[in-house]
Amino acid sequence: MSDTEETPLKESSGEVEKEEEKEEEYNPSFEEDNLQQSLTEGTLSWGESQEESQEDGEELEKWMDKEEQIEGEEGRGEEEEMRGGEEERRGEEEEAKREEEEATGEEEEATGEEEEATGEEEEATGEEEEATGEEEEATGEEEEATGEEKEMRREEEEARGKEKEMRGEEEEVRGEEEKMRGEELKEEEEEMRNVEERYERGEEEEKRWGEEESGEEEKSEEKEGSKEEGGEEEDKETEEEEYKWEREEGREEEAKSGEWEEEEEGVVLEKTERKAGKAQEEKKKKYKTTIQVDDIVISSESSMSRSSQASSKSSSHSQSPEVSEIYKDISMKTGIFEEAAIRSQEDIGQKLEDISAQEKDEVRFEQHLEGRRKSFQFKEVSSKESLVSISTEDTLFQKEEDSKVYPLSMTWSFGWNSSLPVYYMREDKRVLLYVCGHTAVIYDVFKNTQYHLQGHPNIISCLCVSEDRRWIATADEGPDCLIIIWDAFTGIPVHTIFDSCPDGNGIRSIAITRDSKFLATISDAETQKVCIWKWTLAVETPACTLELPKEYGFQENFIFNPANNRELVSNSKTQAVYYYWFEDKGILTHSAPLLTEKTFNKLVGKFSQSVFHLKLPQILSATKEGKLVVWDIHYPPSSSSSSSSSVSAFPYIKPRKLVHLQKEAITVLTTIDSYIVTGDIKGNIKFYDHTLSIVNWYSNFKLSAIRTLSFSKTLPSPPTEKSNLPTDCTLRGDLFVVRNFIIGTFDATVYHMTVDGTKLEKLFVEPRDAVHAISCHPYQPLIAVGSICGMIKVWDFERKVYLFSRAFEKGLGVQCLTYNPEGALLGAGFTEGTVYILDAMSLENESSEPFKYSKSSVSHVSFSHDSNYMATADANFTVAVYVVVVKNGQRVWEYLARLRSHRNSIRSLLFGVHLDSNEPRLLSLGKDRFLIEYNLVKSYKDHLDVLDIHRTDQGNYPTCMIWYPPLTKELFLLICNSGYKVKLFNATTKMCRKTLLGPAYGSPIEQAQVLPVKSTLELQKRYLVFINKDKVGLQILPVDGNPHKTCAIVCHPNGVAGLALSHDGHFAFTAGGQDRSVVQWKINLAALEAAVSLGGEDLTPFYGLVSGGREGKFYRELEDYFYYSQIRSQGIDTMETRQVSEHICLSEMPFVMRAIGFYPSEEKIEDMFNEIKFSEYVETGKLIDKINLPDFLKVYLNHRPPFGNTMDGIQNSFDVLGFTNSEGKKAIRREDFLNLLLTKGEHMTEEEMFDCFATLFGLTPEGWKSEPAATCTQGLEICLQKELPEEITAEIFTTEILGLTLANSSEEPNQ
């Protein structure tokens, strides 16, 4: 029996080997070129890949036909094998029946012989009857015994017949079961072969495993034959022993299940492989047909994507080539576990059909044990798997927010950079991708949720997505630019390229291949550089680079050929450039023929975009004249291209013809399926076939100029009776079937087009110009956003819902917005000087006519606490006041007065309250360093009275002003300046009471607001929210100079224009100005408090601000000077007992400051004295005249320049005061230099000046005053003329006069 089965098995295995050889011989170049594409697209069907090119489609059809023939032959061979096996089994059954019949015949013959012998005995007995009667009786008893034996033999024959019938029934049942299992194995084999054809790596492993398993088949067949010859009873005994062994092993493993979680990965792998091998052996023993399903481990997929592809569904688990490179090992292990688990589950299920009820319960227990074992193994693997390799399309919006970790976290982004495209990521949930500032936003329209891709330090300048919408590539412009590739399923940055453009200003354009293997970038520099990146290899350098001549113009649009990764095209406004990449040689060649009016004897126009032709080796370039330039791609002969000696013969392009498509300028040119699509300046969208014949168009929606078109990755559904598709404009009038798409226009509006029914839906409208004005409602979750384009929009920021808006006439740009304290009015200042007072809920005019008293942009609008006054400030340094009057029983706003009170830009305009009368007070702060308070009571029509004027700073200029919260008994004004300082001024006397080190995050504070609170408990702890040039931050109050009490994050790299806080203090809003966005930030105060606690208490945070800390040389020197000043104050030559204490007199403080390298001005010294003197005056009424060492350290750190004395500061002074000498440097003449010291600023006397120069030049050995013996005999004036050069530059002043050493250029920032 084993011999009869062995021959067809060998033949079938030989046929499989021949078929595999045929598959390997068939067109290997085609499979190699398209293998990576099928890997990346994942969910794309074969029909989609056919549309990529006509030639590939024909080869694919041939290949599929051949595959079908091979599969048909395999199926027929398998059927013949099945039939042959059935015939063999039937022949064996007939032989067994014949043997049983022969055995029965032999038994009957033996019975006949016994009967004959009995007859002879009867005859002998008859002859002996006469002799003995006793012998006759004995013979009768023997005959009775013989009859009983006959009856027993007949019963045995009947039992054997019944057994034959039972065996026949069992064999029929087994035959049916084997047929079903054979069909299941055939389906599994077909599915696994489909996966095998897609993956090249699996083929190699399949061959090795096929050879090993073919040997195991022969061994298993021999074992089967020997077992079958042994009889059916031995098989049953073997199966019972196996089940007993499995039950015993299951009980042992269950007892040890608690220890499985602690096993190492190697032990788990070994057990899993052993279990998989046992499952395969059991299957081979159970099945008499030997259809082999090869085990394929696919390294470029996760286990989840394996199952989805095996079922040939459009799953979202498709993996791209980069996953193959990065997550190969993890996926291979997961594949082994998955196959082992699936096969063991199948074996258990099949055994359940053939065993008794008791055995079913035992196998169910084994199945449960196997499930637990699988779960433990999966946990150990999944703990080391990447989220990227196992994620789905729905993973992104299921991620939990980690906003509690950071003090400020982005929760929403209002706006869209309409200069960049918007992409259609998913159609089923309508997910979009667009850019807002330095953040890429993935927006779910149906759920109204956003996911933010944050990581760029600069504004994102370009982006692109892969064909399957799995990978997103973004790049920025500016210093330290980055290229980041994101996983769209998880939002994780899988690769970041640093220093991609060290010599330029960033990346201007980026493109990705259809299979997602390569990236291409064009730099944003004067000399542009083209780079191609093999990003899946996680490299930091490009595979090849090419510098473009300046004559080509500024190349912007960039795209790969979808059918060939080695071809690219870009264009500027004047020239198109074709690139060909020789990957093996690392060379990028280009061709850029120049077009003139003489080329076609017609006006061509400026280029907008270029694409590759769908079917022909051509490039199409659209122009602003509505024309299309067709370029032919000429390839070198195959002999020259294959030669390795030279690459001088490379592909190039030549202009073929100029096609006049339309009158309107073409702004968008793209391809989708079999169509060439254009969008123009009139809002029309047109579809052409490959011959440039019009097929359909959309022109009746009255859209603005088309900026971007993005089509869904989902293929359109076939037309049905319920479809409402438009007909094309061909003579046949066929239904026009195309994918749904997203439309982005130049006015920052985004639409969704549903082709079935021609439904156009407006998704959102954002400001198309800069956003400077934002304001939050005082007690509702509303935010008003104003744009330079003249639009005011109001949002509900809790529900993220747009409520209402108003668009003003052309020329009116919104510059500032402010709600009044009651929330009923909204004051708006415009760029051309107009002031509107609007109803907060309808945005209608509150006054009959707007106020037009300014000729320049209105920068500030502010309301008094009782809403009876409104003040504005404009760019001409003028403050205007408006007042509410009662006319005819109605409150009406009227203009009161205006005054040009400042000489530089006004930085803050603030209303307050007089403590004694509850009347409003108005203050303005200018860049001219003046704080001015106005007398509103004495002001009248066209006369704004000034109450007092105070100068706030000496060298730095103020940046903003707010009321300090009442944390102390004394009321303060908080003023920030350009020197990173925060100053507290007494609200009544305007005296500077304290100077503190403010947040230092690259630029000084420009705007600040105190965070609102809603309960009295929160009044004890207040916080400050601030913005500087590009960041938003938090500061814990009171300000004391502790650097750990503040934090900041980049919010708008190109500059922050405005700040607003929600009424409940939970959110902060920042306006980005030119980036056309507003960002909502969630405030988490607990995270900031945790950071403060980590910084230490008391003086610990301050020790970190000095070089070397508390144990460093600088602090030790400061201590020595501090205690030496006590000796100096008591007299150096005194013989009296020294009075050593922990304090020094305030008069000694300036000398100690100068001794340690800080040279404060006289005004700063006066501020220090006032800060110490009045520190306890409000509480105790006493003045302080001494200071201890810890307080001295704080005063020094808060008053000193935050970055020390730099050469840049000295050079700036010479730039202002000096002239340009013959060498091109800024210099000051000697006479002018001395005159400035005697007359300007805190001027010196002649005696002080001569003493200082005498000390600097070494004319006095020691001491402050000049000694008579050391005085020059010719007079001090003659000495200064000798020591000082005629022209003094910044370098001479620093090195020769002050005697300082200039640091190297590399060390200068640190110095």
Side-chain angles (χ1 to χ4, degrees), residues 780-846:
Q780 290 185 9
L782 305 178
I783 180 172
V785 180
S787 171
I788 298 298
C789 65
M791 177 185 293
I792 298 178
K793 295 182 65 175
V794 178
W795 292 77
D796 184 331
F797 59 77
E798 286 186 350
R799 297 185 295 128
K800 311 299 187 298
V801 176
Y802 156 72
L803 299 178
F804 48 88
S805 64
R806 177 178 175 181
F808 292 85
E809 54 266 25
K810 189 175 182 180
L812 290 180
V814 184
Q815 184 66 35
C816 57
L817 291 172
T818 302
Y819 282 99
N820 73 330
E822 287 80 14
L825 302 177
L826 179 64
F830 289 79
T831 53
E832 40 71 65
T834 306
V835 177
Y836 280 80
I837 301 177
L838 308 173
D839 182 85
M841 293 295 109
S842 64
L843 299 184
E844 297 297 330
N845 292 353
E846 185 70 17

Side-chain angles (χ1 to χ4, degrees), residues 1-9 88 92 221-226 228-229:
M1 183 173 177
S2 61
D3 295 336
T4 60
E5 287 186 353
E6 187 173 358
T7 302
L9 282 172
E88 290 175 0
E92 291 171 2
E221 288 167 4
E222 293 176 1
K223 291 179 181 180
E224 279 184 344
S226 61
E228 288 175 355
E229 289 176 358

Side-chain angles (χ1 to χ4, degrees), residues 980-992:
Y980 298 89
K981 302 298 182 183
V982 175
K983 290 188 173 184
L984 299 181
F985 290 82
N986 184 281
T988 305
T989 64
K990 311 295 192 309
M991 176 188 292
C992 179

Side-chain angles (χ1 to χ4, degrees), residues 493-513:
V494 295
H495 185 53
T496 302
I497 301 174
F498 298 90
D499 298 328
S500 58
C501 188
D503 301 331
N505 298 323
I507 304 300
R508 183 59 183 175
S509 185
I510 190 169
I512 191 169
T513 56

Side-chain angles (χ1 to χ4, degrees), residues 1092-1110:
V1092 175
S1093 62
L1094 294 175
E1097 298 178 353
D1098 299 329
L1099 288 177
T1100 302
F1102 296 93
Y1103 290 137
L1105 295 176
V1106 298
S1107 177
R1110 185 175 184 179

Side-chain angles (χ1 to χ4, degrees), residues 685-746:
I685 302 171
K686 300 180 180 180
F687 293 80
Y688 301 86
D689 61 12
H690 67 280
T691 64
L692 298 181
S693 299
I694 187 72
V695 178
N696 195 19
W697 67 88
Y698 297 97
S699 60
N700 56 345
F701 295 111
K702 298 180 180 180
L703 306 178
S704 64
I706 305 299
R707 175 61 186 87
T708 177
L709 294 173
S710 180
F711 290 83
S712 171
K713 69 175 182 179
T714 306
L715 287 173
S717 303
T720 62
E721 295 180 356
K722 298 182 179 180
S723 299
N724 188 17
L725 294 170
T727 57
D728 58 28
C729 60
T730 61
L731 294 177
R732 294 193 303 269
D734 298 332
L735 292 178
F736 179 68
V737 181
V738 74
R739 311 184 194 197
N740 297 335
F741 55 95
I742 293 292
I743 307 169
T745 61
F746 276 91

